[in-house]
Amino acid sequence: MSKGSNSTGLRRYNERVLITALRKMGQASKLELARLSNLTPQAVTRIIDDLEAAGLVRPEGRRLGGLGQPSMLYTINPQGAYSIGVNVGRRDIQLLLVDFGGVVIKKIAHEFECPEPDFLLEKIQTGIAQLTEHLPAAEVSRLVGVGVAMPWFMGAWSKELNMSEVLAKRWNEINFDKEVARRTKLPVFFENDCSAAAIAELQFGQGIDIANFLYIFIGTFIGGGVVLEGNLESGVHGNSGALASMPVSPSRLNSTPAIEGPFETLINRASLFVLRRHLNANGIPINSISQIHDVLPKARLYIDEWILDCVDALTFSIFSATGVLDFEAIVIDANLPRDIIGELVNKVSDRVKAITPNGVFVPDVLLGKIGPDARAIGGAILPFYANFSPDKTVMLTGGIPQKIPG
C-alpha cells in the first residue's frame, strides 16, 4: 500500500525546512522565512515559536530601518543540540564535539601507522565518554548522536599502507558499525569519509552559496562527493565521488613505481601517501604529513614536484567529471597545511582555465572552507542531518518520528 502524508509529518518537515533556511541565511525574520519557504506567515510564526521554546532557535535582535515595527531576527541556537563526529582514517582518528551551529567545542586526535580495528574501537569508546563528560550535565540530553566518517573499504589498498594480510582480513570480516554501536547508547550514523566531508562543505562551507559541485578531499588517499541541487548524491551503491580509482596519465615523479595494469589511477598521483613516499624517497624522512613544516625549507623542492604532478592528475580528473555532470564548481580540500593546499588549488584553477577543451563550461575551482577536520565535522553533521534536515520521508505515515530535544 502507498503511504499518505499526515499533519504531524508535514509539520516535522516544515520545521526542518525552516531550520535549514536559518542555517544557510545566518539570521532571518519570520516574514523572510515565510517568503523563502512558501509557508504562510501564520504557520511560520507557530513553528518558530515552538522551535524557540524547544531551544533550537533563538531571537537575535531586531532589524532597524524601513516602515513599521522593526522585525525580530532569529538564528540557530548553538546550544540547541550537540553531536559527536568521528573520522576513522587510515593513519589517524579524530573525535569532535560539535554544537548545533557547527562550532567544534573539543577535539581528540590520535595518529598511528596502521588502522587496527580494536585500537580504533577503544579510542572511539573512550573518546565518546570524554566528549560527553565535557558537556554540562543539563545539556547532555541534547546530544543527539554519533556520526562516524570512514572509508568503506578499510582492508583495501593494503600494499600502499604496508598492511599485513592478517590485518586486511580482519577488516574484511569485522562488522565495524555494529561494534561501534555496542560501545555507546547514543544513536550511531555512518557515512563514507569523503562523502561526510562533502556534507560538511555543503552545510557550512562553499555549499551555502553553491548548489552543484564536485567535492574532492585529499587525505591518505583521495575521495570526494557529488552535490547536486543542494543535496549529496550518494549513488546506487553509496559510492559516488569515489575518485581513487579514476584513470589518469602516468606520474612523472621519480618515486612512483611502475604502473601495474593498463593505466595509472588517481590514488597514485593525488594523495598524501604519494607525497609522503616522494619525500621519503628523496631523503626527507617523515612519518606523518603533520611534520611537513618541520622539514621545510629542505623539503620544498619535493613538495613542489608533488604539487605539479598532483595538479596535472586532478585537472585530467576534473575534465572527466565535468564531461558527465555540469558542475558549477570543483571544491578541493585536504589534510594539509592551508598554505600548501591553497597553492595547489590555485594551480589547479589556472591549469583548468588554460587547457579547457572546446565545448566545455569551465567550473570554478575553489578551496574548501572547512579544512583538515572536514571529515570529522561531516560525521558530526550526520545526526543533525537525520534529525533536523528536510527529508520528505518524514511526511509519510509509518515513518520513524524524530524527537526534538527539549
Side-chain angles (χ1 to χ4, degrees):
M1 294 178 62
S2 61
K3 295 180 179 180
S5 63
N6 59 37
S7 58
T8 302
L10 183 60
R11 171 59 177 259
R12 288 200 303 271
Y13 177 76
N14 289 337
E15 287 173 347
R16 294 172 178 218
V17 166
L18 296 182
I19 288 173
T20 300
L22 276 177
R23 193 178 295 285
K24 283 187 172 290
M25 296 174 70
Q27 60 181 19
S29 68
K30 292 175 180 176
L31 185 57
E32 289 171 329
L33 290 170
R35 290 170 181 162
L36 183 68
S37 63
N38 290 321
L39 295 172
T40 66
Q42 294 82 1
V44 169
T45 294
R46 288 194 298 270
I47 293 173
I48 291 297
D49 287 348
D50 287 348
L51 291 175
E52 182 183 356
L56 293 171
V57 305
R58 68 185 185 190
E60 196 174 68
R62 295 182 181 273
R63 179 180 290 127
L64 303 177
L67 301 176
Q69 184 177 356
S71 299
M72 176 64 73
L73 299 177
Y74 291 85
T75 188
I76 294 293
N77 179 13
Q79 288 76 47
Y82 299 91
S83 176
I84 292 174
V86 182
N87 172 50
V88 178
R90 291 184 167 92
R91 297 270 185 198
D92 54 5
I93 180 172
Q94 299 92 32
L95 295 96
L96 309 177
L97 177 63
V98 177
D99 70 22
F100 201 34
V103 174
V104 176
I105 301 171
K106 186 174 176 60
K107 176 179 177 179
I108 299 171
H110 306 278
E111 292 185 345
F112 46 83
E113 276 299 305
C114 254
E116 207 287 321
D118 293 324
F119 169 84
L120 292 169
L121 288 168
E122 187 271 330
K123 294 302 180 186
I124 291 172
Q125 183 173 0
T126 57
I128 291 173
Q130 291 171 15
L131 294 176
T132 302
E133 290 173 358
H134 189 77
L135 281 174
E139 297 187 359
V140 170
S141 64
R142 292 182 174 270
L143 189 56
V144 296
V146 176
V148 181
M150 64 181 295
W152 285 152
F153 307 105
M154 287 292 284
W157 290 290
S158 56
K159 180 180 177 181
E160 289 81 357
L161 291 173
N162 295 318
M163 184 185 293
S164 69
E165 291 184 8
V166 173
L167 183 54
K169 184 173 184 290
R170 170 84 167 125
W171 272 113
N172 292 333
E173 292 176 348
I174 192 172
N175 191 331
F176 197 79
D177 54 348
K178 184 178 291 186
E179 291 298 324
V180 172
R182 285 181 54 239
R183 288 163 169 79
T184 178
K185 295 180 181 179
L186 293 166
V188 180
F189 304 84
F190 274 78
E191 182 56 86
N192 172 267
D193 58 338
C194 291
S195 294
I199 292 173
E201 193 68 40
L202 172 63
Q203 292 288 316
F204 298 118
Q206 300 286 5
I208 292 175
D209 300 311
I210 301 171
N212 301 277
F213 61 92
L214 173 64
Y215 179 81
I216 300 173
F217 190 89
I218 303 172
T220 301
F221 294 159
I222 186 169
V226 176
V227 175
L228 298 175
E229 297 183 0
N231 293 294
L232 179 72
E233 296 294 339
S234 298
V236 175
H237 302 101
N239 212 32
S240 290
L243 305 175
S245 300
M246 183 174 281
V248 293
S249 57
S251 171
R252 294 190 298 272
L253 296 179
N254 62 14
S255 58
T256 302
I259 296 175
E260 296 180 4
F263 51 78
E264 187 59 276
T265 54
L266 189 61
I267 188 177
N268 281 316
R269 294 197 60 190
S271 60
L272 299 189
F273 104 87
V274 172
L275 173 57
R276 178 181 171 186
R277 181 178 65 193
H278 189 58
L279 292 174
N280 290 343
N282 287 280
I284 310 293
I286 65 169
N287 298 316
S288 168
I289 292 300
S290 63
Q291 299 172 325
I292 278 185
H293 279 311
D294 297 336
V295 295
L296 292 175
K298 183 179 179 182
R300 187 69 242 189
L301 170 64
Y302 307 110
I303 294 172
D304 289 344
E305 289 178 347
W306 173 80
I307 287 176
L308 291 176
D309 201 63
C310 188
V311 165
D312 284 345
L314 287 172
T315 302
F316 193 101
S317 301
I318 287 168
F319 286 137
S320 297
T322 54
V324 177
L325 291 172
D326 190 13
F327 294 107
E328 294 176 70
I330 309 298
V331 180
I332 304 174
D333 216 330
N335 187 20
L336 277 170
R338 298 306 278 174
D339 56 337
I340 294 177
I341 183 58
E343 179 183 346
L344 187 151
V345 171
N346 288 336
K347 290 183 182 298
V348 172
S349 179
D350 292 342
R351 182 76 169 152
V352 166
K353 292 173 183 176
I355 63 170
T356 299
N358 291 331
V360 175
F361 290 99
V362 182
D364 294 326
V365 179
L366 306 172
L367 175 64
K369 292 186 176 181
I370 308 301
D373 288 335
R375 293 164 296 177
I377 291 174
I381 290 173
L382 298 178
F384 293 153
Y385 208 79
N387 283 277
F388 305 113
S389 288
D391 180 349
K392 291 181 181 178
T393 59
V394 303
M395 293 190 292
L396 301 179
T397 57
I400 300 174
Q402 300 291 342
K403 181 181 179 183
I404 294 177

